[in-house]
Amino acid sequence: QVQLVESGGGLVQAGGSLRLSCATSATSERTFSRYSMGWFRQAPGKEREFVAAIGWNNGNIYYADSVKGRFTISRENAKNTVYLQMNSLKPEDTAIYYCAASIVYGSSRLRLKDEYDYWGQGTQVTVSS
């Protein structure tokens, strides 16, 4: 079992920045460095959608078109933590943001929420206009 805890959400004006963190506790069978990590978000009344992911085996990074150039995903294996730096925020970025862990290799499959094995509880991001 892997536990994930997101933090860093909040209220920000359009054009502002936030950095989300996701701290994980991996099992002894598989260390954090061997999980691909992803960020998803869900706005009220909408499906949970892919935001960004980073593969564990190759460091490949994937972004949704809607955030490319504004958001940056990174990981710090020594701290068992993945980050999402969000710049130039827009009101349409308002959502609950979830981090997730997957044993899948770095590939476009990481865009699919069904490929993830563990999920955090989410952190609210609200962008005012």
Side-chain angles (χ1 to χ4, degrees), residues 76-97:
E76 191 168 355
N77 289 340
K79 293 187 177 181
N80 291 353
T81 301
V82 62
Y83 305 98
L84 185 68
Q85 177 67 44
M86 306 187 295
N87 298 329
S88 303
L89 283 161
K90 304 175 181 179
E92 50 264 43
D93 294 318
T94 295
I96 299 174
Y97 283 70

Side-chain angles (χ1 to χ4, degrees), residues 18-34:
L18 284 174
R19 188 175 85 151
L20 304 184
S21 299
C22 175
T24 71
S25 58
T27 65
S28 59
E29 289 79 17
R30 192 176 186 98
T31 60
F32 171 75
S33 63
R34 294 183 65 208

Side-chain angles (χ1 to χ4, degrees), residues 28-63:
S28 59
E29 289 79 17
R30 192 176 186 98
T31 60
F32 171 75
S33 63
R34 294 183 65 208
Y35 284 97
S36 293
M37 300 299 296
W39 287 95
F40 289 75
R41 66 187 182 187
Q42 188 166 17
K46 294 189 176 182
E47 294 285 322
R48 191 171 298 190
E49 65 174 6
F50 170 74
V51 175
I54 183 166
W56 73 264
N57 60 314
N58 53 16
N60 282 4
I61 289 176
Y62 308 88
Y63 293 105

